[in-house]
Structure formats: C-alpha cells, structure tokens
C-alpha cells in the first residue's frame, strides 16, 4: 500500500516563508503532487514533481527527492489568503491513474 | 469551460433513503474520479473511470454504493440505502493526464448529511 506523512498544523505570520514537508512510502512511484483546499472549498492543484529538484511557480515552490521519498511545498511571502489545508498526494504504478492523498496540513497565517 | 460541475451542493436525507449525486466533468478529460472527504478518513478515492469505463472501484465502501458513467459528460454516484455514516463531502474530479501531472480538477463537492 501507500502511506504519506505530513504535519497536521503549521502556523506562520504574514510575509514569512513556510515549508510543509511530506514523506511517503509507495512502490512504483511516479510523482508527488500538492493541492490547496480552503475551508468549504474544493482541492485545487498546485504542483507536480516527477523528478528530483525544485519547481517554482510564483510564490510557491515544490521540491522532490526520490531517493529520500521526501518532498516539500515552500510558500514565500505568505498572505492571509494562503490560510488553507495543503495536501500532498502520490501517483504510483499500482494505480497510475489515481492519486493517494495525505491527511493534509492546516496552514494558519497570522497578521 | 465551466469546470467540473456537481449537483446538488447540499443534500440532507433520512436514513434508508436513496441518494444520487451528479457530476459533469470537463470536456475532453478522459478520467473521472469520485472522492469522499471526512475528518476521520481524509480524501478517499471511491471509484474512477477512464473513457466512461469503471477501472477501479475497490474504494467503494460496500454494495450500497454504485456509480455509473453513461457518457463522457455525465456520471452519477448512488447510495441506496443511505446511512448516517455516509455523511461526508463527495467530490468529483476529472483529468486528462494519466498520472495527474496536469492536475485533477475537482468540483465544488456535495455535502451529504444523512439523519
């Protein structure tokens, strides 16, 4: 099976940088994705990493180390609107056309 | 495109009643997924379709749950009979990429309450 671990809660102040870590265990790993979900809303896609390294998209960056089965989401210049839950998800050969989601990290941005 | 469209947004029903949730995926997306989200279990995949064909329904909790996709633009998830433990937010998502590399697009969800 697959398992993912990420912190349940993270708190940071506006303008700061925060890193949300995700470790996973899976066979036949394909890629690691990140999704954002505001309270009462739908998950929205942020990024996908299949290769080692850092991918940057505006204020958000995502990193993957396949050898360490580890990735993180980096949020810079935090804004109040970034308060949300962030989910990492793995795609893997056992079920390549579906994602297995972590339990989510609740990010609270304080003024 | 209007995105993935789900209906209804909210559903309150009595235990034992039949519930039908509806989903219209994004045109051109070949993959459709039904997820359930609860505080206890997080986001769970129930079933997914590729080109209208059910591929993996191992996440469907039990025989009370069934899903269909009669054409590329419509899918239903039915619960009969419903039970209080089925209360959750049900999301439909669609994708054009087999591994999610372009992301899944989720609908707004149906919040189901079974009393």
């Amino acid at each position: 099976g697959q398992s993912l671990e990420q912190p349940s809660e993270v708190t940071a102040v506006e303008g700061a940088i925060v890193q949300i870590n995700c470790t996973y265990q899976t066979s036949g790993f394909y890629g690691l994705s990140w999704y954002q979900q505001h309270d009462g809303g739908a998950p929205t896609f942020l990024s996908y990493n299949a290769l080692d390294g850092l991918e940057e998209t505006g204020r958000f960056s995502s990193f993957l180390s396949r050898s360490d089965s580890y990735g993180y989401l980096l949020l810079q210049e935090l804004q109040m609107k970034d308060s949300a839950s962030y989910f990492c998800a793995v795609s893997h050969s056992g079920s390549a056309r579906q994602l297995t989601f972590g339990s989510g990290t609740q990010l609270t941005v304080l003024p | 495109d209007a995105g993935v469209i789900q209906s209804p947004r909210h559903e309150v029903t009595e235990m034992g009643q039949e519930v039908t949730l509806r989903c219209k995926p994004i045109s051109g997306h070949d993959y459709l997924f039904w997820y359930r989200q609860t505080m206890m279990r997080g986001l769970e995949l129930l079933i997914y379709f590729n080109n209208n064909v059910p591929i993996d329904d191992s996440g469907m909790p039990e025989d009370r749950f069934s899903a269909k996709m009669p054409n590329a633009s419509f899918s239903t998830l039915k619960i009969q009979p419903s039970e209080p433990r089925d209360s959750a937010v049900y999301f439909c998502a669609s994708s054009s990429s087999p591994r999610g590399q372009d992301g899944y697009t989720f609908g707004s969800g149906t919040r189901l309450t079974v009393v």
Side-chain angles (χ1 to χ4, degrees):
Chain A
Q2 305 79 42
S3 68
L4 299 97
E5 287 191 17
Q6 52 181 129
S8 58
E9 295 178 342
V10 173
T11 302
V13 296
E14 209 171 2
I17 298 172
V18 71
Q19 179 175 309
I20 299 174
N21 299 320
C22 175
T23 57
Y24 59 87
Q25 289 187 334
T26 186
S27 57
F29 174 83
Y30 279 146
L32 184 71
S33 303
W34 288 92
Y35 285 75
Q36 177 192 60
Q37 185 179 28
H38 286 99
D39 280 349
T44 57
F45 173 70
L46 294 177
S47 66
Y48 175 85
N49 293 67
L51 303 176
D52 287 353
L54 189 69
E55 299 272 349
E56 298 183 46
T57 308
R59 294 188 297 112
F60 292 6
S61 302
S62 56
F63 172 83
L64 175 66
S65 169
R66 296 174 66 112
S67 60
D68 295 323
S69 298
Y70 164 75
Y72 64 74
L73 181 68
L74 189 73
L75 297 85
Q76 301 179 300
E77 301 173 16
L78 280 174
Q79 301 175 9
M80 300 294 290
K81 66 178 182 180
D82 297 330
S83 292
S85 291
Y86 292 85
F87 295 86
C88 59
V90 292
S91 54
H92 43 87
S93 61
S95 55
R97 292 160 181 77
Q98 59 171 280
L99 295 179
T100 301
F101 283 83
S103 54
T105 298
Q106 177 66 50
L107 171 64
T108 302
V109 180
L110 302 174
Chain B
D1 202 316
V4 176
I5 301 172
Q6 290 187 246
S7 64
R9 285 297 310 272
H10 302 274
E11 177 80 34
V12 180
T13 191
E14 292 186 347
M15 184 174 60
Q17 296 299 304
E18 176 179 296
V19 176
T20 300
L21 312 181
R22 298 172 176 79
C23 175
K24 176 180 169 55
I26 289 176
S27 177
H29 280 188
D30 295 330
Y31 299 90
L32 183 138
F33 310 85
W34 282 100
Y35 279 86
R36 177 172 69 176
Q37 187 174 36
T38 61
M39 288 294 294
M40 291 297 295
R41 300 175 67 87
L43 270 164
E44 309 173 89
L45 178 74
L46 300 177
I47 186 171
Y48 81 93
F49 295 83
N50 178 209
N51 291 322
N52 314 337
V53 176
I55 303 299
D56 185 351
D57 66 354
S58 58
M60 297 285 261
E62 48 201 90
D63 292 344
R64 297 184 298 106
F65 285 68
S66 63
K68 295 182 180 179
M69 192 165 186
N71 56 62
S73 59
F74 184 65
S75 177
T76 60
L77 178 68
K78 184 177 294 185
I79 308 172
Q80 166 63 21
S82 58
E83 297 182 2
R85 60 190 166 129
D86 302 331
S87 297
V89 180
Y90 291 80
F91 288 105
C92 173
S94 70
S95 173
S96 59
S97 55
R99 297 172 186 174
Q101 58 264 42
D102 296 324
Y104 288 8
T105 302
F106 284 78
S108 300
T110 296
R111 183 173 295 276
L112 174 64
T113 303
V114 183
V115 298

